[in-house]
Amino acid sequence: MPTLKPGSGQYLHIEFVRDVRRQPDRRRANHKFPRPKPPTPEDLHQHAQDVSQGITEAVQQISQVRQGCGIEPSKLFVLEFNSVNLDLREIFEQRFKAWVVSEYKDKVGNQERYRFLVQFPTETSRQHLREEIRLYRTEANNIEVLPLKKRQEFCDALQAVRSVSRDERIGVRLREEGFPDVESFYVDVDLWHPGDPSDARQVLNDIRSMCAKYGGALTEEVRTSSLLLIKVYGSRQLAEVLLELDWVARVDLPPKLSQAYSQIFGEITLPDPVPIPLDDDPLVCVVDSGVISGHPLLANWVIEERDFDTGENTTTDLNGHGTSVAGLVVHGDITKCIESHQWQPRVRICSAKVLCHNRISKEVDIPANRRAELIIEDAIRYFVHERQCSIFNLSIASRDEVYRRGGQFQWAEKLDELARELDIVIVQATGNRPDPPIPEAVYTREEAQKAIRENLLNDENQRICNPSTAALVLTVGAIARSDALGHHQQNTGPRLKDAFAGVPANAPAPFTRTGPGLVYGVTNFAVKPEIVAYGGNWAIQTMAGGSPRWNRSFIFLGEPTLQRESNGRFITARNGTSFACPHVAHAAAIAAVSLKATLGQKPSANLIRALVGSATIAPPCPPDWLDDEKETLRLVGYGMCSVDDLTWSKKNQVRLIAMDEVELDKLHIYRVAVPQVFLFTKGKRGITVALAYDPPVQSSRKEYLANTMWIEALHGLTTEEVEIYRAKNAVQDVDLLPPGKEIKLRPPKTDVQWSTLQVRRIKWSRKPKLIIPDGETEPVIHFVVGCQQRFSTGFDDKQRYGLVVLFWHESEEIELYQALRNRVTLKAARVRVGA
């Protein structure tokens, strides 16, 4: 029998289904923007000449570099095009048979500006472009590639053509640190994907030959739908040549990963014996620096360890980072374990060792000879196939690659592709900022802590980093559990003098990274991080009258967890989002087993994410820290997750769950009749809806997500009326409903529509005013789930999603569970055939 099963007063969640009648189409928006003003004949000639000259100069520059590299100069040219008020992607790809490898859009006033990087596969495709510009300049009526009107629009919109500069290809670490002072070193090189697999092979072969010509080697390769990612070992001369090559998107030094410090925490009474897990207990793969599987608080719960060629030739954790992460995955809240003297492990782990111990810095690093994307992909695929892992903890981030608008990171895109393809939940840390500024011109502790809050919101250097911008992962930030600097009254334990905590307890940690996440267009943002958990705190300390500095390792500010044995001690306290992340991985593993008990089958990653999201609550921060809704989304996302709340439904806290797929540009409608006991029992009550989905992604597209989804709650309407009104909607933020028919969930759907996990809520202090529809005897809420295709991928015509609707009431005496079960359309019972 499984150890995870409902206890007294606990129930399986309720699986409900949508209304299966005709689902209305959701009509597409017809956005129109003013076209560029046609130029005068004189201006037209000059404009065409400038564009043509730009192409000529760019081609000459690229050819010169190609010849020096020994690469055929006529194939696969990458040029940059800029246009105004006209999206040229379709023209490039359908008319000129070119491939848009990257695009970006912004808006100035009423004018939209586009930037395209276009790869032309052949000399012929480039000549077609030149010919169209010549015909435009002479105002000829010939139809070669483009019809006359289309040619005029296309050429009018073109503003500039050029090759990408060397400076634009330099990665963050390489720009800040320069080339290593050694003869040969590793660099990460990102190549533009040519779109066709055979062309990709040719590009890799040409790069391989070029590396050999300069005494180097291409040592690894990994692919996403938009990029070819390689690891190169060689000299500075080789790196300089790569920086000049038009196929190259970026050259950078390998990621440097942050590492928190550890200290001995104290003695504990170890369990004897350690419990033995069952085969159906929750399972997480910890992708980190390995574990100490013989640790007395991990023994029996590490079911497999594997070293993915880190160079250390052992699965054992030589650093301690992975062991500290693993302890929180296995036990959850270790603080509660210490306080209660009860050690009850709940989650089994697999250990995927991808990080190695840096003996000089004492940090953990991706091995220099491995691409981060590839070594992590190898680890994930192995444990999916061999152990059927569906939850992965990645307390790994590249602190130097901070997101400052623009396109998606390649590492993040690879995680998104893996999450969707393998149907897994990846729990990813936001990363830490190692050097946030010390507040100045403040005169009280409160002023200093508020200044740190403002820095978390306003400092671009505090934004989330690679790969925590990934759209389909659960990104986790850190909040502080403690702001205590020691025992000031009793002489028991250490005390930090001349210092104060960087932030108050339960507030976002000074080092955590904050949102927003990926930017779509100009004003649309993803919610990142989606979730926060306890991950430690720092202190500001003044030493001997000197300047204040950060104290990053005071033990009573850290997050309690396990450590490698030191002087007979096994517990420590550590700081970093690395140690917030496993709290959420632990919760996701519990959610997966709980959902399987309800469904009778393995739940989707979408439904697991939705269930975790439905159990979030705002951290109990001090006043003024989370007053503003938009700032709250950036600081803590949807809040911190309660494992106790998500595991089972209760009689006053009921979760309705659904796992489905919707056709693109259509709606699903779920009907819930609201019971009288929910309406008339005194006390606070509310509804939370959580929607998660996994669209295809493509970093070469400005919108990145191929599809977006949304959810809303309507009342006072029949199902037929819901279909009619919502089918009329042209865009989701234009409300054509009769007044007062939409329940005002917060945050508004426009603030979360670009997030693949959306959590929205409403809370009432007294009986809600829900309208009874015609023909009904009690109020009915329709939960409408919509899907909009943003661009075609040529594959799926449906979008998978998971939905969780939580009804809660503060009265523990209310009998809400059975009342709701009787008022929704239940999933048909599964019948086993045979013995």
Side-chain angles (χ1 to χ4, degrees):
M1 294 293 291
T3 56
L4 189 67
K5 57 184 179 180
S8 176
Q10 298 176 327
Y11 308 92
L12 298 176
H13 305 309
I14 300 171
E15 187 179 9
F16 73 144
V17 296
R18 57 186 166 89
D19 190 294
V20 295
R21 291 175 292 178
R22 179 186 65 83
Q23 301 298 322
D25 291 353
R26 189 176 167 279
R27 299 179 184 175
R28 306 294 296 275
N30 184 23
H31 298 292
K32 291 186 177 294
F33 296 96
R35 295 289 189 230
K37 183 179 180 180
T40 64
E42 295 79 10
D43 291 340
L44 183 151
H45 185 275
Q46 185 61 49
H47 176 63
Q49 184 66 35
D50 291 343
V51 172
S52 181
Q53 182 66 26
I55 295 174
T56 299
E57 292 177 355
V59 169
Q60 288 175 346
Q61 179 182 348
I62 291 171
S63 297
Q64 184 177 359
V65 173
R66 294 273 188 92
Q67 290 170 354
C69 297
I71 294 176
E72 170 60 44
S74 64
K75 295 188 302 181
L76 294 175
F77 267 68
V78 178
L79 300 175
E80 180 184 300
F81 294 81
N82 288 275
S83 76
V84 293
N85 286 357
L86 190 64
D87 189 337
L88 304 180
R89 185 181 191 115
E90 181 179 340
I91 295 175
F92 280 125
E93 294 192 341
Q94 296 186 10
R95 301 286 184 164
F96 294 108
K97 307 305 179 186
W99 175 248
V100 176
V101 295
S102 181
E103 64 178 331
Y104 182 72
K105 180 179 76 171
D106 61 13
K107 191 173 183 180
V108 179
N110 201 32
Q111 188 176 73
E112 288 201 336
R113 298 183 179 181
Y114 294 84
R115 173 181 177 266
F116 302 90
L117 285 177
V118 183
Q119 192 169 79
F120 291 88
T122 64
E123 175 65 25
T124 301
S125 60
R126 295 201 308 278
Q127 290 302 329
H128 284 320
L129 176 63
R130 290 184 179 220
E131 179 63 12
E132 289 298 318
I133 294 172
R134 186 190 69 78
L135 294 173
Y136 168 76
R137 185 179 70 245
T138 60
E139 301 183 79
N141 294 325
N142 307 42
I143 297 178
E144 295 293 329
V145 174
L146 297 175
L148 178 61
K149 184 176 180 181
K150 183 71 73 173
R151 177 190 305 144
Q152 290 174 335
E153 288 182 348
F154 174 78
C155 294
D156 286 349
L158 278 181
Q159 298 299 298
V161 184
R162 68 182 184 97
S163 60
V164 179
S165 70
R166 172 190 182 279
D167 190 63
E168 291 173 280
R169 297 189 180 98
I170 299 176
V172 175
R173 282 199 63 203
L174 184 57
R175 186 179 303 281
E176 293 180 352
E177 300 178 25
F179 289 104
D181 189 21
V182 292
E183 183 176 345
S184 295
F185 49 89
Y186 286 98
V187 289
D188 286 352
V189 181
D190 303 347
L191 307 172
W192 296 119
H193 197 300
D196 182 84
S198 62
D199 288 339
R201 286 192 294 271
Q202 184 61 52
V203 166
L204 291 172
N205 288 336
D206 286 344
I207 294 292
R208 193 173 284 109
S209 298
M210 188 193 80
C211 290
K213 177 181 177 180
Y214 286 92
L218 190 162
T219 62
E220 281 193 347
E221 63 183 70
V222 59
R223 306 182 189 188
T224 74
S225 62
S226 306
L227 289 174
L228 297 176
L229 312 176
I230 61 175
K231 176 81 70 175
V232 170
Y233 184 74
S235 63
R236 175 169 179 172
Q237 183 185 18
L238 174 56
E240 293 283 8
V241 171
L242 288 166
L243 283 169
E244 297 289 348
L245 187 62
D246 64 303
W247 287 347
V248 171
R250 188 193 67 145
V251 177
D252 206 357
L253 301 177
K256 181 187 294 182
L257 304 175
S258 58
Q259 167 70 21
Y261 296 97
S262 64
Q263 294 186 12
I264 297 173
F265 185 83
E267 294 186 7
I268 61 168
T269 301
L270 298 175
D272 184 21
V274 176
I276 305 295
L278 301 178
D279 289 343
D280 50 5
D281 278 325
L283 177 63
V284 170
C285 178
V286 177
V287 184
D288 214 285
S289 61
V291 298
I292 305 295
S293 57
H295 192 291
L297 292 170
L298 294 178
N300 303 330
W301 289 78
V302 183
I303 65 170
E304 185 176 353
E305 304 171 82
R306 190 175 180 88
D307 178 16
F308 289 87
D309 300 326
T310 61
E312 293 187 336
N313 300 316
T314 178
T315 58
T316 299
D317 180 13
L318 301 182
N319 178 274
H321 186 274
T323 299
S324 293
V325 170
L328 290 161
V329 172
V330 171
H331 293 276
D333 193 336
I334 286 180
T335 297
K336 292 182 179 178
C337 297
I338 296 171
E339 292 172 348
S340 66
H341 305 290
Q342 297 293 320
W343 295 89
Q344 297 177 334
R346 302 181 72 186
V347 176
R348 300 172 297 148
I349 62 169
C350 295
S351 172
K353 183 172 180 174
V354 302
L355 303 179
C356 56
H357 177 59
N358 188 317
R359 296 182 184 276
I360 298 174
S361 68
K362 308 303 181 184
E363 297 182 346
V364 285
D365 293 313
I366 295 287
N369 64 329
R370 301 298 309 274
R371 285 280 324 204
E373 299 87 352
L374 184 56
I375 192 172
I376 290 172
E377 179 180 10
D378 289 346
I380 288 175
R381 288 191 183 278
Y382 175 85
F383 280 109
V384 167
H385 295 148
E386 297 300 322
R387 293 290 182 172
Q388 292 73 54
C389 285
S390 58
I391 314 293
F392 290 81
N393 186 96
L394 268 66
S395 293
I396 305 171
S398 178
R399 67 187 182 196
D400 297 309
E401 296 180 279
V402 180
Y403 183 67
R404 295 182 174 90
R405 302 178 69 93
Q408 181 63 284
F409 292 116
Q410 73 289 341
W411 185 354
E413 182 183 25
K414 171 53 68 176
L415 293 185
D416 282 337
E417 290 187 341
L418 290 170
R420 184 173 186 274
E421 175 196 344
L422 302 174
D423 193 23
I424 58 175
V425 177
I426 298 175
V427 186
Q428 169 68 51
T430 63
N432 307 323
R433 184 177 181 185
D435 58 345
I438 300 287
E440 297 180 354
V442 291
Y443 304 101
T444 66
R445 179 197 313 265
E446 289 72 20
E447 287 181 354
Q449 291 178 338
K450 286 295 179 65
I452 291 170
R453 176 190 181 275
E454 294 307 306
N455 182 75
L456 288 168
L457 284 168
N458 300 319
D459 189 341
E460 287 296 309
N461 294 316
Q462 202 82 34
R463 299 287 77 79
I464 59 176
C465 57
N466 191 16
S468 56
T469 51
L472 275 58
V473 309
L474 282 176
T475 301
V476 183
I479 57 175
R481 183 187 294 272
S482 169
D483 55 5
L485 300 184
H487 296 284
H488 291 259
Q489 301 302 323
Q490 300 89 15
N491 188 24
T492 56
R495 182 166 67 90
L496 191 64
K497 299 180 180 180
D498 304 317
F500 64 91
V503 297
N506 300 305
F511 50 78
T512 193
R513 293 191 176 274
T514 58
L518 201 67
V519 179
Y520 302 88
V522 181
T523 59
N524 297 313
F525 302 90
V527 175
K528 289 287 177 179
E530 293 99 332
I531 300 180
V532 291
Y534 289 124
N537 198 354
W538 287 353
I540 294 177
Q541 185 176 26
T542 302
M543 300 293 290
S547 299
R549 63 174 180 83
W550 287 111
N551 184 310
R552 297 174 173 86
S553 57
F554 184 62
I555 195 166
F556 288 136
L557 294 180
E559 177 61 10
T561 186
L562 308 189
Q563 70 169 359
R564 301 174 67 215
E565 188 274 335
S566 177
N567 297 322
R569 299 177 185 270
F570 298 95
I571 301 295
T572 187
R574 306 192 71 162
N575 294 291
T577 58
S578 287
F579 312 107
C581 191
H583 284 282
V584 179
H586 176 88
I590 300 293
V593 175
S594 169
L595 287 168
K596 185 176 181 180
T598 297
L599 299 170
Q601 63 177 336
K602 181 181 178 181
S604 69
N606 288 325
L607 189 56
I608 296 169
R609 288 194 293 140
L611 182 56
V612 171
S614 76
T616 52
I617 57 174
C621 291
D624 303 331
W625 272 76
L626 300 179
D627 285 350
D628 182 273
E629 187 174 71
K630 290 184 182 295
E631 291 180 352
T632 296
L633 287 176
R634 292 178 55 195
L635 289 169
V636 300
Y638 304 118
M640 57 192 303
C641 177
S642 169
V643 177
D644 291 340
D645 283 346
L646 69 77
T647 308
W648 308 114
S649 287
K650 303 172 185 176
K651 61 183 181 180
N652 66 327
Q653 186 174 287
V654 186
R655 283 179 168 83
L656 311 174
I657 63 172
M659 190 168 66
D660 208 335
E661 57 182 16
V662 60
E663 292 182 58
L664 304 182
D665 297 311
K666 297 220 175 160
L667 306 174
H668 281 176
I669 300 171
Y670 293 81
R671 179 186 184 278
V672 179
V674 183
Q676 297 294 306
V677 67
F678 180 80
L679 296 173
F680 291 98
T681 304
K682 291 184 178 180
K684 297 176 182 177
R685 73 213 79 183
I687 299 172
T688 297
V689 295
L691 172 71
Y693 63 103
D694 57 351
V697 299
Q698 197 171 87
S699 64
S700 66
R701 307 292 303 225
K702 59 182 176 292
E703 291 186 325
Y704 188 62
L705 302 181
N707 313 316
T708 53
M709 293 190 69
W710 50 272
I711 185 169
E712 62 188 5
L714 309 179
H715 70 117
L717 299 171
T718 65
T719 302
E720 292 76 11
E721 289 173 327
V722 172
E723 291 179 356
I724 291 170
Y725 286 117
R726 275 301 169 243
K728 289 180 179 179
N729 255 16
V731 289
Q732 59 171 298
D733 51 354
V734 176
D735 196 351
L736 301 180
L737 287 170
K741 300 299 184 181
E742 182 175 359
I743 297 174
K744 298 300 183 181
L745 302 172
R746 305 300 303 183
K749 58 176 177 268
T750 51
D751 285 359
V752 298
Q753 65 177 327
W754 289 95
S755 302
T756 68
L757 173 62
Q758 302 172 16
V759 182
R760 306 179 62 209
R761 305 178 172 93
I762 189 168
K763 176 180 177 181
W764 295 284
S765 297
R766 54 178 63 90
K767 176 181 177 294
K769 298 179 180 178
L770 299 178
I771 302 171
I772 300 175
D774 292 341
E776 300 283 357
T777 59
E778 55 190 350
V780 173
I781 298 177
H782 288 94
F783 296 97
V784 183
V785 177
C787 177
Q788 180 176 357
Q789 184 181 43
R790 297 289 173 173
F791 58 83
S792 175
T793 60
F795 297 104
D796 299 336
D797 59 357
K798 294 182 179 180
Q799 175 59 62
R800 303 179 300 194
Y801 68 89
L803 173 66
V804 177
V805 178
L806 166 66
F807 282 79
W808 63 269
H809 198 290
E810 71 174 356
S811 172
E812 296 183 358
E813 303 305 317
I814 188 175
E815 296 290 347
L816 181 59
Y817 184 89
Q818 194 60 45
L820 276 172
R821 186 178 180 84
N822 294 335
R823 286 168 171 79
V824 298
T825 305
L826 298 177
K827 186 79 170 182
R830 294 177 179 81
V831 179
R832 294 183 63 185
V833 179

